[in-house]
Amino acid sequence: MTTAPINDGDRQPKAATSHTAQRNAAAAAVLSLDDPGDFARATRGLIATHPTGVIDGPHGIAWDVARHDFNRTDTPAPSSVNPSLWRQGRLNAIHGLFEVADGVWQVRGYDISNMTLIASDNGWLIVDVLTTAATAAACLELANKVLGHREVQAVIYTHSHADHFGGINGVTTQEAVDAGDVRIIAPDGFLREAVSENVIAGPVMGRRAGYMFGPLLTPGPLGHVDSGLGKIIPRAASGLIAPTEEILVTGTELDVDGIRVVFQNTPGGEAPAEMNFLFPDMRVLCMAENCTHTMHNLLTPRGAQVRDALGWSKYINEALELYIDHTDTLFATHHWPRWGQDDAREFLVKQRDVYRWLHDQTMRLANHGFTAVEIAEQLQLPECFAAQGHTREYYGTVNHNSKAVYQRYLGAFDGNPATLNPHPPREAGVRYVEAMGGRDEVLRKAQTAFDEGDYRWAAQMLNHLVFADPDFEAGRLLAADALEQLGYQAESGPWRNIYLTGALELREGVRSVGGGGRALTTALTVEQIFDALGVRLMAERVVDQRVLINWEFTDVGEKHVLGLENCALHHIAGRHEEQANATLRLTKNLLGELLTGRVAAIDAIGDGRLEIEGDADALLVLFGALDQFDGAFNIVEP
């Protein structure tokens, strides 16, 4: 097969093919949502909008509502966007300051998550503080300007994901919290979970999040439309101030600057540490991120621990039992509220049942011997859920969630000996391409599949071709075209972003997202820092090495021993070892700066911040064997 010459147009986004246009038109024809009220809910109570819609961050513009103006119209979806996702995108593009209930307001549409502000006796009680200080400060400023200035008295973190605590430095300071002027309330285990998820797997999770949320995609009908849970992640770093108090058990009641709050702990639902809570005197219920206007992820594509669908469903049922009779208004930390007890009840019932359905039907089929992939092909969202926007697949999908349930119980292995130890992608790709007749024959077969609209099969064949021969540009570009059409057809915002980002990188190579990240080092415990250190150890460089180092952290008054033996680290807290090769004195914060490269060890020794007694070479052995992660590794090629 002779391939046509490559030109610049081949590397650009393409229009929807006739197959994709027909598929999306068919989806529009059968899209039937029993509840037409979401647009009324999403606009209800609008008081004001940000004066420009542009929020500056430390590395440029963190947020700009105008980038998604194309999705704010009531025109039908273009052929390159799934009509259901287009609808969700229109809802998520609605932005401003909204009155939710008497004394309760939300700022929505200036981050992927919401900030909720409640008038307390002496100021504001804020529920969740967005992803970044830039967006949080802008939202608080908007509320203060429109509603009258109030000082922040307390913050509630609903759960341990960064888009709910990362903007804390935009609404208060560490000094104010340390002085007791601002309370920060969080669920049990919050600090451990908030930092652990972002440390051990931080670099790979960040890279995959770049696919899931699509920050490199150009907003528009051929690019980024929505993330399902909200528009997009802002471009600025997250921070963290540790909570001053944690909620240990369901039923805990607190007076927060004159506001009664009753809490329900929901660990292991949507997040490892999370809580719902009721404001009984206001008859307002917060469901955190346990219930939003989309089916959620049981295993997020960016990567995390598999969530418990059965437990999640039971938490929602418990909330119904505990709180629905005392609720007139329900809000969550994404999307828009529900008003009226009947509406809130129906919302919670459907949310409860969709996760139970996913759990039970997946395991029913698994117990018949079907594999995760086979189950994902069989399960289709029943009409009782498909007819409700808030249980459709805008963020999580039945396909991915059923695989997550299977993985939670049975692992990734499907039981077939042939899949027990398969070849890795590059080696498998070489063999597949050879078996299929060589690269030109694979390209021909893939082109035929593409022309017939079988983009899944085209992408699967071409993935083998790209891994076998990544420099074969005709294969890369056709693979990009196939992924692109799959993205155009996807109802899920993350699925669209993943497909289109893969297409972008096949055409242009890997690019850095930039401007984001999470500045959480100061919140880590010493043990967590050492755990992260172990992940960076290049074992092949320390064969036959044995080192013991005492650490004394002067700012937190802690002693630790870190040992290197048998190509692995081990750690002992609370004491020193007499036989240690060296003893180091420093602050915990300095250790974090040394490990992130913000400070060089030689400079810290020179200015006295790092003191070493004993054999300094022991430290060089350890630091000289630490790997560096750039977060820009390949995904769609070897």
Side-chain angles (χ1 to χ4, degrees), residues 171-249:
V171 303
T172 189
T173 64
Q174 184 70 61
E175 291 74 19
V177 174
D178 290 343
D181 297 331
V182 178
R183 298 167 66 180
I184 300 183
I185 302 163
D188 182 34
F190 168 87
L191 190 60
R192 177 186 66 250
E193 300 298 344
V195 297
S196 66
E197 184 173 288
N198 301 291
V199 175
I200 298 297
V204 62
M205 192 179 293
R207 174 75 168 110
R208 287 169 54 150
Y211 266 58
M212 179 175 174
F213 295 104
L216 290 175
L217 300 175
T218 301
L222 299 182
H224 192 279
V225 172
D226 199 69
S227 295
L229 202 58
K231 269 290 158 223
I232 198 168
I233 297 290
R235 291 196 177 191
S238 298
L240 175 61
I241 297 177
T244 58
E245 50 202 294
E246 292 191 347
I247 303 302
L248 302 181
V249 295

Side-chain angles (χ1 to χ4, degrees), residues 207-215 217 223-224 226-227 297 299-303 395 397 400 480 483-484 486-488 490 492-506 635-636:
R207 174 75 168 110
R208 287 169 54 150
Y211 266 58
M212 179 175 174
F213 295 104
L217 300 175
H224 192 279
D226 199 69
S227 295
N297 282 300
L299 177 55
T300 172
R302 66 177 166 83
Y395 194 55
T397 65
H400 205 70
L483 295 179
E484 186 170 64
L486 291 170
Y488 292 164
S492 164
W495 277 40
R496 178 185 175 93
N497 294 337
I498 289 167
Y499 282 129
L500 296 189
T501 302
L504 177 70
E505 292 193 350
L506 284 167
I635 290 180
V636 287

Side-chain angles (χ1 to χ4, degrees), residues 130-312:
L130 311 181
T131 311
T132 76
T135 53
C139 289
L140 178 59
E141 180 182 8
L142 175 63
N144 279 334
K145 180 178 179 180
V146 174
L147 303 172
H149 182 84
R150 305 174 75 91
E151 293 292 329
V152 176
Q153 302 297 311
V155 171
I156 296 177
Y157 296 146
T158 59
H159 63 290
S160 53
H161 292 154
D163 53 325
H164 300 269
F165 66 77
I168 185 64
N169 293 304
V171 303
T172 189
T173 64
Q174 184 70 61
E175 291 74 19
V177 174
D178 290 343
D181 297 331
V182 178
R183 298 167 66 180
I184 300 183
I185 302 163
D188 182 34
F190 168 87
L191 190 60
R192 177 186 66 250
E193 300 298 344
V195 297
S196 66
E197 184 173 288
N198 301 291
V199 175
I200 298 297
V204 62
M205 192 179 293
R207 174 75 168 110
R208 287 169 54 150
Y211 266 58
M212 179 175 174
F213 295 104
L216 290 175
L217 300 175
T218 301
L222 299 182
H224 192 279
V225 172
D226 199 69
S227 295
L229 202 58
K231 269 290 158 223
I232 198 168
I233 297 290
R235 291 196 177 191
S238 298
L240 175 61
I241 297 177
T244 58
E245 50 202 294
E246 292 191 347
I247 303 302
L248 302 181
V249 295
T250 293
T252 298
E253 181 174 327
L254 295 181
D255 182 302
V256 184
D257 195 35
I259 300 173
R260 278 203 305 145
V261 192
V262 181
F263 294 90
Q264 178 200 12
N265 252 354
T266 64
E270 188 273 334
E274 188 155 3
M275 59 188 183
N276 304 321
F277 39 91
L278 176 75
F279 301 98
D281 299 326
M282 301 176 178
R283 297 182 63 83
V284 172
L285 174 62
C286 173
M287 288 300 294
E289 200 172 317
N290 286 310
C291 295
T292 58
H293 283 83
T294 174
M295 178 190 296
H296 214 292
N297 282 300
L298 297 178
L299 177 55
T300 172
R302 66 177 166 83
Q305 297 179 33
V306 177
R307 296 158 185 170
D308 180 5
L310 180 59
W312 194 337

